[in-house]
Amino acid sequence: MKTNIRHKRPLSIAAAIALACLASGNAAAAPPAGRLLAAQCAQCHGTGGSGRGFDELAGESAQELYSELREMKFHTRIESIMDRQARGYTDQQLRAIADYFASLPGGGH
Ligand code: HEC
C-alpha cells in the first residue's frame, strides 16, 4: 500500500493548491478586470501597453482611449484590425480596459 500512498500524494498537494487559489480568488488578490481584459492587447501593443511599433496605450487619458475604442467599435465598415478588436468588448469592458491602460506609467520606450 506504500506505493499507493506515494502515488496519491502529488494529487492531493495539487488539490490543496487549487483550493488555495480558488479561495484567494475571492479575496483582494484578484487582478483588476481591466488588466485581465487588456492581456489580449499585449500581443500587439506590448506588455503593459508600451511595446515598440504600435501605438502606446500606457499612460494615455482613459477618456481618450475609451472614446477611440468606441469609435472603432462602431465603424460601420471595418477598416482596420482595431475595428475588429474593439467589436469584441462591451462598453463596460472597453471602459475597464481604458482605465487600466491610463493607470500605467507611459513613456516606456
Ligand atoms: C492584432 C494586433 C492588435 C491587437 C491585438 C490590438 N491592437 Fe490596438 N492597434 C493595432 C494597430 C495595427 C493599430 C494602428 C491603427 C489601426 O490600424 O487601426 C492599433 C491602434 C490602437 C489604438 C489607437 C491609437 C491611436 O492613437 O490612434 C488604440 C486606442 C488601441 N489600438 C487599443 C487597443 C486595445 C485596448 C486592445 C485590446 C483590447 C488592442 N488595441 C489590441 C493592433 C492591435
Side-chain angles (χ1 to χ4, degrees), residues 24-70:
S24 72
N26 292 329
R35 183 173 144 202
L36 292 176
L37 292 165
Q40 161 72 13
C41 321
Q43 56 177 300
C44 291
H45 292 276
T47 314
S50 55
R52 287 172 191 273
F54 286 91
D55 298 285
E56 180 164 29
L57 307 177
E60 292 292 312
S61 121
Q63 190 51 47
E64 209 167 287
L65 282 174
Y66 175 69
S67 39
E68 273 176 349
L69 288 165
R70 274 203 34 114

mmCIF file of all heavy atoms in Angstrom, residues 24-70:
data_model
loop_
_atom_site.group_PDB
_atom_site.id
_atom_site.type_symbol
_atom_site.label_atom_id
_atom_site.label_comp_id
_atom_site.label_asym_id
_atom_site.label_seq_id
_atom_site.Cartn_x
_atom_site.Cartn_y
_atom_site.Cartn_z
ATOM 1 N N SER A 24 -8.270 32.397 -2.678
ATOM 2 C CA SER A 24 -7.693 33.734 -2.782
ATOM 3 C C SER A 24 -8.341 34.520 -3.914
ATOM 4 O O SER A 24 -8.287 35.732 -3.947
ATOM 5 C CB SER A 24 -6.177 33.661 -2.965
ATOM 6 O OG SER A 24 -5.875 33.206 -4.259
ATOM 7 N N GLY A 25 -8.941 33.815 -4.866
ATOM 8 C CA GLY A 25 -9.639 34.495 -5.950
ATOM 9 C C GLY A 25 -10.781 35.345 -5.436
ATOM 10 O O GLY A 25 -11.159 36.330 -6.054
ATOM 11 N N ASN A 26 -11.309 34.985 -4.285
ATOM 12 C CA ASN A 26 -12.397 35.756 -3.710
ATOM 13 C C ASN A 26 -11.896 36.936 -2.893
ATOM 14 O O ASN A 26 -12.644 37.833 -2.571
ATOM 15 C CB ASN A 26 -13.250 34.860 -2.800
ATOM 16 C CG ASN A 26 -13.996 33.833 -3.607
ATOM 17 O OD1 ASN A 26 -14.347 34.090 -4.759
ATOM 18 N ND2 ASN A 26 -14.224 32.664 -3.035
ATOM 19 N N ALA A 27 -10.615 36.912 -2.574
ATOM 20 C CA ALA A 27 -10.053 37.974 -1.748
ATOM 21 C C ALA A 27 -9.539 39.111 -2.622
ATOM 22 O O ALA A 27 -9.700 39.096 -3.843
ATOM 23 C CB ALA A 27 -8.930 37.420 -0.889
ATOM 24 N N ALA A 28 -8.882 40.083 -2.002
ATOM 25 C CA ALA A 28 -8.414 41.267 -2.716
ATOM 26 C C ALA A 28 -7.291 40.943 -3.703
ATOM 27 O O ALA A 28 -6.908 41.788 -4.499
ATOM 28 C CB ALA A 28 -7.953 42.305 -1.716
ATOM 29 N N ALA A 29 -6.757 39.716 -3.657
ATOM 30 C CA ALA A 29 -5.629 39.357 -4.505
ATOM 31 C C ALA A 29 -6.002 39.269 -5.984
ATOM 32 O O ALA A 29 -5.123 39.237 -6.835
ATOM 33 C CB ALA A 29 -5.057 38.028 -4.045
ATOM 34 N N ALA A 30 -7.275 39.236 -6.307
ATOM 35 C CA ALA A 30 -7.690 39.097 -7.697
ATOM 36 C C ALA A 30 -7.246 40.321 -8.498
ATOM 37 O O ALA A 30 -7.419 41.446 -8.040
ATOM 38 C CB ALA A 30 -9.199 38.941 -7.775
ATOM 39 N N PRO A 31 -6.649 40.111 -9.701
ATOM 40 C CA PRO A 31 -6.242 41.264 -10.502
ATOM 41 C C PRO A 31 -7.462 42.027 -10.994
ATOM 42 O O PRO A 31 -8.535 41.451 -11.135
ATOM 43 C CB PRO A 31 -5.490 40.631 -11.675
ATOM 44 C CG PRO A 31 -5.911 39.215 -11.713
ATOM 45 C CD PRO A 31 -6.357 38.842 -10.337
ATOM 46 N N PRO A 32 -7.307 43.330 -11.257
ATOM 47 C CA PRO A 32 -8.454 44.108 -11.724
ATOM 48 C C PRO A 32 -8.963 43.595 -13.067
ATOM 49 O O PRO A 32 -8.175 43.098 -13.883
ATOM 50 C CB PRO A 32 -7.893 45.526 -11.858
ATOM 51 C CG PRO A 32 -6.418 45.409 -11.768
ATOM 52 C CD PRO A 32 -6.089 44.109 -11.126
ATOM 53 N N ALA A 33 -10.254 43.694 -13.297
ATOM 54 C CA ALA A 33 -10.862 43.171 -14.521
ATOM 55 C C ALA A 33 -10.190 43.767 -15.754
ATOM 56 O O ALA A 33 -9.955 43.080 -16.743
ATOM 57 C CB ALA A 33 -12.349 43.486 -14.524
ATOM 58 N N GLY A 34 -9.864 45.055 -15.703
ATOM 59 C CA GLY A 34 -9.253 45.722 -16.845
ATOM 60 C C GLY A 34 -7.941 45.078 -17.237
ATOM 61 O O GLY A 34 -7.632 44.945 -18.420
ATOM 62 N N ARG A 35 -7.181 44.647 -16.262
ATOM 63 C CA ARG A 35 -5.889 44.035 -16.551
ATOM 64 C C ARG A 35 -6.068 42.687 -17.256
ATOM 65 O O ARG A 35 -5.322 42.355 -18.177
ATOM 66 C CB ARG A 35 -5.112 43.850 -15.248
ATOM 67 C CG ARG A 35 -3.744 43.289 -15.489
ATOM 68 C CD ARG A 35 -2.941 43.274 -14.219
ATOM 69 N NE ARG A 35 -2.104 42.099 -14.196
ATOM 70 C CZ ARG A 35 -1.603 41.564 -13.097
ATOM 71 N NH1 ARG A 35 -1.860 42.106 -11.933
ATOM 72 N NH2 ARG A 35 -0.851 40.517 -13.161
ATOM 73 N N LEU A 36 -7.046 41.922 -16.815
ATOM 74 C CA LEU A 36 -7.311 40.636 -17.455
ATOM 75 C C LEU A 36 -7.742 40.858 -18.904
ATOM 76 O O LEU A 36 -7.282 40.184 -19.816
ATOM 77 C CB LEU A 36 -8.400 39.872 -16.694
ATOM 78 C CG LEU A 36 -8.018 39.394 -15.298
ATOM 79 C CD1 LEU A 36 -9.210 38.740 -14.616
ATOM 80 C CD2 LEU A 36 -6.865 38.404 -15.385
ATOM 81 N N LEU A 37 -8.634 41.807 -19.114
ATOM 82 C CA LEU A 37 -9.127 42.073 -20.460
ATOM 83 C C LEU A 37 -8.001 42.607 -21.347
ATOM 84 O O LEU A 37 -7.918 42.280 -22.531
ATOM 85 C CB LEU A 37 -10.274 43.086 -20.410
ATOM 86 C CG LEU A 37 -11.558 42.590 -19.752
ATOM 87 C CD1 LEU A 37 -12.480 43.759 -19.439
ATOM 88 C CD2 LEU A 37 -12.260 41.580 -20.632
ATOM 89 N N ALA A 38 -7.123 43.415 -20.766
ATOM 90 C CA ALA A 38 -6.057 44.059 -21.529
ATOM 91 C C ALA A 38 -4.957 43.083 -21.930
ATOM 92 O O ALA A 38 -4.108 43.421 -22.766
ATOM 93 C CB ALA A 38 -5.473 45.220 -20.732
ATOM 94 N N ALA A 39 -4.968 41.893 -21.348
ATOM 95 C CA ALA A 39 -3.938 40.913 -21.703
ATOM 96 C C ALA A 39 -3.982 40.618 -23.201
ATOM 97 O O ALA A 39 -2.956 40.371 -23.835
ATOM 98 C CB ALA A 39 -4.149 39.632 -20.899
ATOM 99 N N GLN A 40 -5.170 40.689 -23.763
ATOM 100 C CA GLN A 40 -5.357 40.437 -25.194
ATOM 101 C C GLN A 40 -4.648 41.497 -26.046
ATOM 102 O O GLN A 40 -4.201 41.214 -27.151
ATOM 103 C CB GLN A 40 -6.869 40.411 -25.473
ATOM 104 C CG GLN A 40 -7.280 40.597 -26.903
ATOM 105 C CD GLN A 40 -6.956 39.377 -27.756
ATOM 106 O OE1 GLN A 40 -6.645 38.315 -27.244
ATOM 107 N NE2 GLN A 40 -7.037 39.537 -29.067
ATOM 108 N N CYS A 41 -4.548 42.705 -25.554
ATOM 109 C CA CYS A 41 -3.960 43.811 -26.311
ATOM 110 C C CYS A 41 -2.433 43.705 -26.351
ATOM 111 O O CYS A 41 -1.791 44.287 -27.224
ATOM 112 C CB CYS A 41 -4.350 45.149 -25.685
ATOM 113 S SG CYS A 41 -6.055 45.212 -25.088
ATOM 114 N N ALA A 42 -1.874 42.964 -25.388
ATOM 115 C CA ALA A 42 -0.413 42.928 -25.225
ATOM 116 C C ALA A 42 0.294 42.323 -26.434
ATOM 117 O O ALA A 42 1.413 42.712 -26.748
ATOM 118 C CB ALA A 42 -0.060 42.147 -23.964
ATOM 119 N N GLN A 43 -0.362 41.396 -27.115
ATOM 120 C CA GLN A 43 0.325 40.734 -28.230
ATOM 121 C C GLN A 43 0.699 41.715 -29.334
ATOM 122 O O GLN A 43 1.636 41.463 -30.082
ATOM 123 C CB GLN A 43 -0.507 39.576 -28.774
ATOM 124 C CG GLN A 43 -1.902 39.977 -29.195
ATOM 125 C CD GLN A 43 -2.640 38.798 -29.787
ATOM 126 O OE1 GLN A 43 -2.192 38.234 -30.774
ATOM 127 N NE2 GLN A 43 -3.750 38.419 -29.188
ATOM 128 N N CYS A 44 -0.007 42.807 -29.463
ATOM 129 C CA CYS A 44 0.374 43.821 -30.455
ATOM 130 C C CYS A 44 0.956 45.064 -29.790
ATOM 131 O O CYS A 44 1.981 45.573 -30.191
ATOM 132 C CB CYS A 44 -0.818 44.211 -31.307
ATOM 133 S SG CYS A 44 -1.351 42.889 -32.394
ATOM 134 N N HIS A 45 0.278 45.565 -28.764
ATOM 135 C CA HIS A 45 0.689 46.839 -28.155
ATOM 136 C C HIS A 45 1.753 46.667 -27.081
ATOM 137 O O HIS A 45 2.155 47.638 -26.457
ATOM 138 C CB HIS A 45 -0.529 47.569 -27.579
ATOM 139 C CG HIS A 45 -1.472 48.047 -28.642
ATOM 140 N ND1 HIS A 45 -1.305 49.234 -29.309
ATOM 141 C CD2 HIS A 45 -2.577 47.467 -29.167
ATOM 142 C CE1 HIS A 45 -2.292 49.378 -30.198
ATOM 143 N NE2 HIS A 45 -3.065 48.323 -30.128
ATOM 144 N N GLY A 46 2.179 45.433 -26.864
ATOM 145 C CA GLY A 46 3.249 45.186 -25.907
ATOM 146 C C GLY A 46 2.734 44.979 -24.499
ATOM 147 O O GLY A 46 1.643 45.416 -24.157
ATOM 148 N N THR A 47 3.540 44.309 -23.700
ATOM 149 C CA THR A 47 3.184 44.092 -22.303
ATOM 150 C C THR A 47 3.051 45.448 -21.625
ATOM 151 O O THR A 47 3.901 46.303 -21.772
ATOM 152 C CB THR A 47 4.284 43.284 -21.593
ATOM 153 O OG1 THR A 47 4.640 42.190 -22.429
ATOM 154 C CG2 THR A 47 3.808 42.780 -20.252
ATOM 155 N N GLY A 48 1.954 45.628 -20.918
ATOM 156 C CA GLY A 48 1.752 46.899 -20.227
ATOM 157 C C GLY A 48 1.415 48.042 -21.179
ATOM 158 O O GLY A 48 1.465 49.199 -20.811
ATOM 159 N N GLY A 49 1.077 47.713 -22.440
ATOM 160 C CA GLY A 49 0.621 48.741 -23.379
ATOM 161 C C GLY A 49 1.695 49.691 -23.859
ATOM 162 O O GLY A 49 1.404 50.803 -24.292
ATOM 163 N N SER A 50 2.967 49.263 -23.799
ATOM 164 C CA SER A 50 4.008 50.155 -24.309
ATOM 165 C C SER A 50 5.082 49.400 -25.082
ATOM 166 O O SER A 50 6.262 49.498 -24.794
ATOM 167 C CB SER A 50 4.639 50.945 -23.167
ATOM 168 O OG SER A 50 5.118 50.068 -22.178
ATOM 169 N N GLY A 51 4.619 48.640 -26.067
ATOM 170 C CA GLY A 51 5.566 47.923 -26.915
ATOM 171 C C GLY A 51 6.029 48.800 -28.062
ATOM 172 O O GLY A 51 5.478 49.875 -28.307
ATOM 173 N N ARG A 52 7.035 48.369 -28.766
ATOM 174 C CA ARG A 52 7.533 49.130 -29.907
ATOM 175 C C ARG A 52 6.701 48.834 -31.148
ATOM 176 O O ARG A 52 6.204 47.740 -31.312
ATOM 177 C CB ARG A 52 8.980 48.741 -30.206
ATOM 178 C CG ARG A 52 9.940 49.290 -29.192
ATOM 179 C CD ARG A 52 11.319 48.702 -29.436
ATOM 180 N NE ARG A 52 12.195 49.022 -28.326
ATOM 181 C CZ ARG A 52 12.910 50.137 -28.252
ATOM 182 N NH1 ARG A 52 12.870 51.009 -29.222
ATOM 183 N NH2 ARG A 52 13.670 50.375 -27.210
ATOM 184 N N GLY A 53 6.571 49.819 -31.996
ATOM 185 C CA GLY A 53 5.964 49.589 -33.301
ATOM 186 C C GLY A 53 4.455 49.776 -33.334
ATOM 187 O O GLY A 53 3.876 49.909 -34.391
ATOM 188 N N PHE A 54 3.822 49.785 -32.179
ATOM 189 C CA PHE A 54 2.382 50.005 -32.131
ATOM 190 C C PHE A 54 2.094 51.220 -31.251
ATOM 191 O O PHE A 54 2.932 51.632 -30.456
ATOM 192 C CB PHE A 54 1.658 48.783 -31.559
ATOM 193 C CG PHE A 54 1.601 47.624 -32.518
ATOM 194 C CD1 PHE A 54 2.606 46.669 -32.514
ATOM 195 C CD2 PHE A 54 0.566 47.502 -33.425
ATOM 196 C CE1 PHE A 54 2.561 45.609 -33.403
ATOM 197 C CE2 PHE A 54 0.515 46.442 -34.315
ATOM 198 C CZ PHE A 54 1.522 45.487 -34.304
ATOM 199 N N ASP A 55 0.904 51.762 -31.415
ATOM 200 C CA ASP A 55 0.536 52.914 -30.599
ATOM 201 C C ASP A 55 0.686 52.589 -29.115
ATOM 202 O O ASP A 55 0.253 51.544 -28.671
ATOM 203 C CB ASP A 55 -0.925 53.304 -30.874
ATOM 204 C CG ASP A 55 -1.134 53.717 -32.313
ATOM 205 O OD1 ASP A 55 -0.726 54.827 -32.673
ATOM 206 O OD2 ASP A 55 -1.701 52.907 -33.081
ATOM 207 N N GLU A 56 1.294 53.502 -28.387
ATOM 208 C CA GLU A 56 1.432 53.304 -26.947
ATOM 209 C C GLU A 56 0.107 53.603 -26.260
ATOM 210 O O GLU A 56 -0.526 54.618 -26.532
ATOM 211 C CB GLU A 56 2.519 54.219 -26.394
ATOM 212 C CG GLU A 56 2.686 54.024 -24.897
ATOM 213 C CD GLU A 56 3.980 54.616 -24.374
ATOM 214 O OE1 GLU A 56 4.459 55.597 -24.960
ATOM 215 O OE2 GLU A 56 4.486 54.083 -23.383
ATOM 216 N N LEU A 57 -0.311 52.691 -25.407
ATOM 217 C CA LEU A 57 -1.576 52.862 -24.700
ATOM 218 C C LEU A 57 -1.346 53.268 -23.247
ATOM 219 O O LEU A 57 -2.174 53.952 -22.649
ATOM 220 C CB LEU A 57 -2.379 51.558 -24.734
ATOM 221 C CG LEU A 57 -2.601 50.940 -26.127
ATOM 222 C CD1 LEU A 57 -3.352 49.629 -26.003
ATOM 223 C CD2 LEU A 57 -3.335 51.901 -27.037
ATOM 224 N N ALA A 58 -0.222 52.842 -22.687
ATOM 225 C CA ALA A 58 0.058 53.134 -21.276
ATOM 226 C C ALA A 58 0.131 54.633 -21.044
ATOM 227 O O ALA A 58 0.761 55.361 -21.811
ATOM 228 C CB ALA A 58 1.373 52.475 -20.869
ATOM 229 N N GLY A 59 -0.553 55.077 -20.009
ATOM 230 C CA GLY A 59 -0.478 56.474 -19.612
ATOM 231 C C GLY A 59 -1.331 57.421 -20.442
ATOM 232 O O GLY A 59 -1.320 58.626 -20.204
ATOM 233 N N GLU A 60 -2.046 56.890 -21.434
ATOM 234 C CA GLU A 60 -2.979 57.736 -22.201
ATOM 235 C C GLU A 60 -4.156 58.112 -21.297
ATOM 236 O O GLU A 60 -4.414 57.453 -20.296
ATOM 237 C CB GLU A 60 -3.517 56.962 -23.410
ATOM 238 C CG GLU A 60 -2.486 56.674 -24.480
ATOM 239 C CD GLU A 60 -2.035 57.936 -25.187
ATOM 240 O OE1 GLU A 60 -2.912 58.734 -25.582
ATOM 241 O OE2 GLU A 60 -0.817 58.124 -25.324
ATOM 242 N N SER A 61 -4.876 59.142 -21.693
ATOM 243 C CA SER A 61 -6.050 59.508 -20.903
ATOM 244 C C SER A 61 -7.137 58.447 -21.094
ATOM 245 O O SER A 61 -7.389 57.981 -22.211
ATOM 246 C CB SER A 61 -6.555 60.892 -21.330
ATOM 247 O OG SER A 61 -7.884 60.833 -21.788
ATOM 248 N N ALA A 62 -7.738 58.051 -19.978
ATOM 249 C CA ALA A 62 -8.750 56.996 -20.019
ATOM 250 C C ALA A 62 -9.905 57.395 -20.925
ATOM 251 O O ALA A 62 -10.423 56.591 -21.699
ATOM 252 C CB ALA A 62 -9.254 56.690 -18.615
ATOM 253 N N GLN A 63 -10.291 58.666 -20.850
ATOM 254 C CA GLN A 63 -11.422 59.151 -21.650
ATOM 255 C C GLN A 63 -11.102 59.067 -23.138
ATOM 256 O O GLN A 63 -11.935 58.661 -23.945
ATOM 257 C CB GLN A 63 -11.762 60.592 -21.237
ATOM 258 C CG GLN A 63 -13.053 61.117 -21.833
ATOM 259 C CD GLN A 63 -14.235 60.170 -21.603
ATOM 260 O OE1 GLN A 63 -14.450 59.674 -20.501
ATOM 261 N NE2 GLN A 63 -14.997 59.896 -22.669
ATOM 262 N N GLU A 64 -9.871 59.420 -23.479
ATOM 263 C CA GLU A 64 -9.470 59.397 -24.883
ATOM 264 C C GLU A 64 -9.421 57.966 -25.418
ATOM 265 O O GLU A 64 -9.917 57.681 -26.504
ATOM 266 C CB GLU A 64 -8.100 60.045 -25.029
ATOM 267 C CG GLU A 64 -7.873 60.687 -26.364
ATOM 268 C CD GLU A 64 -6.635 61.567 -26.325
ATOM 269 O OE1 GLU A 64 -6.693 62.637 -25.708
ATOM 270 O OE2 GLU A 64 -5.627 61.128 -26.906
ATOM 271 N N LEU A 65 -8.817 57.074 -24.640
ATOM 272 C CA LEU A 65 -8.752 55.671 -25.053
ATOM 273 C C LEU A 65 -10.148 55.096 -25.233
ATOM 274 O O LEU A 65 -10.438 54.430 -26.225
ATOM 275 C CB LEU A 65 -8.001 54.843 -23.995
ATOM 276 C CG LEU A 65 -6.487 54.935 -23.982
ATOM 277 C CD1 LEU A 65 -5.930 54.181 -22.777
ATOM 278 C CD2 LEU A 65 -5.905 54.376 -25.273
ATOM 279 N N TYR A 66 -11.000 55.400 -24.269
ATOM 280 C CA TYR A 66 -12.358 54.865 -24.315
ATOM 281 C C TYR A 66 -13.088 55.377 -25.552
ATOM 282 O O TYR A 66 -13.728 54.596 -26.272
ATOM 283 C CB TYR A 66 -13.112 55.248 -23.042
ATOM 284 C CG TYR A 66 -14.571 54.842 -23.051
ATOM 285 C CD1 TYR A 66 -14.938 53.503 -22.985
ATOM 286 C CD2 TYR A 66 -15.577 55.803 -23.131
ATOM 287 C CE1 TYR A 66 -16.262 53.129 -23.005
ATOM 288 C CE2 TYR A 66 -16.912 55.438 -23.140
ATOM 289 C CZ TYR A 66 -17.253 54.103 -23.075
ATOM 290 O OH TYR A 66 -18.570 53.734 -23.093
ATOM 291 N N SER A 67 -12.985 56.673 -25.839
ATOM 292 C CA SER A 67 -13.744 57.161 -26.997
ATOM 293 C C SER A 67 -13.132 56.650 -28.302
ATOM 294 O O SER A 67 -13.871 56.389 -29.256
ATOM 295 C CB SER A 67 -13.911 58.682 -26.989
ATOM 296 O OG SER A 67 -12.785 59.329 -26.553
ATOM 297 N N GLU A 68 -11.812 56.469 -28.356
ATOM 298 C CA GLU A 68 -11.207 55.877 -29.555
ATOM 299 C C GLU A 68 -11.709 54.449 -29.777
ATOM 300 O O GLU A 68 -12.072 54.076 -30.884
ATOM 301 C CB GLU A 68 -9.677 55.835 -29.409
ATOM 302 C CG GLU A 68 -8.991 57.108 -29.856
ATOM 303 C CD GLU A 68 -7.490 57.052 -29.600
ATOM 304 O OE1 GLU A 68 -7.022 56.130 -28.896
ATOM 305 O OE2 GLU A 68 -6.804 57.925 -30.106
ATOM 306 N N LEU A 69 -11.738 53.690 -28.687
ATOM 307 C CA LEU A 69 -12.179 52.301 -28.797
ATOM 308 C C LEU A 69 -13.646 52.223 -29.209
ATOM 309 O O LEU A 69 -14.029 51.397 -30.044
ATOM 310 C CB LEU A 69 -11.956 51.567 -27.467
ATOM 311 C CG LEU A 69 -10.489 51.264 -27.142
ATOM 312 C CD1 LEU A 69 -10.312 50.884 -25.679
ATOM 313 C CD2 LEU A 69 -9.954 50.162 -28.045
ATOM 314 N N ARG A 70 -14.453 53.110 -28.643
ATOM 315 C CA ARG A 70 -15.879 53.115 -29.005
ATOM 316 C C ARG A 70 -16.067 53.500 -30.466
ATOM 317 O O ARG A 70 -16.889 52.946 -31.178
ATOM 318 C CB ARG A 70 -16.650 54.072 -28.100
ATOM 319 C CG ARG A 70 -17.073 53.395 -26.847
ATOM 320 C CD ARG A 70 -18.253 54.035 -26.179
ATOM 321 N NE ARG A 70 -19.237 54.630 -27.072
ATOM 322 C CZ ARG A 70 -20.470 54.166 -27.204
ATOM 323 N NH1 ARG A 70 -20.850 53.106 -26.555
ATOM 324 N NH2 ARG A 70 -21.317 54.777 -27.996
#
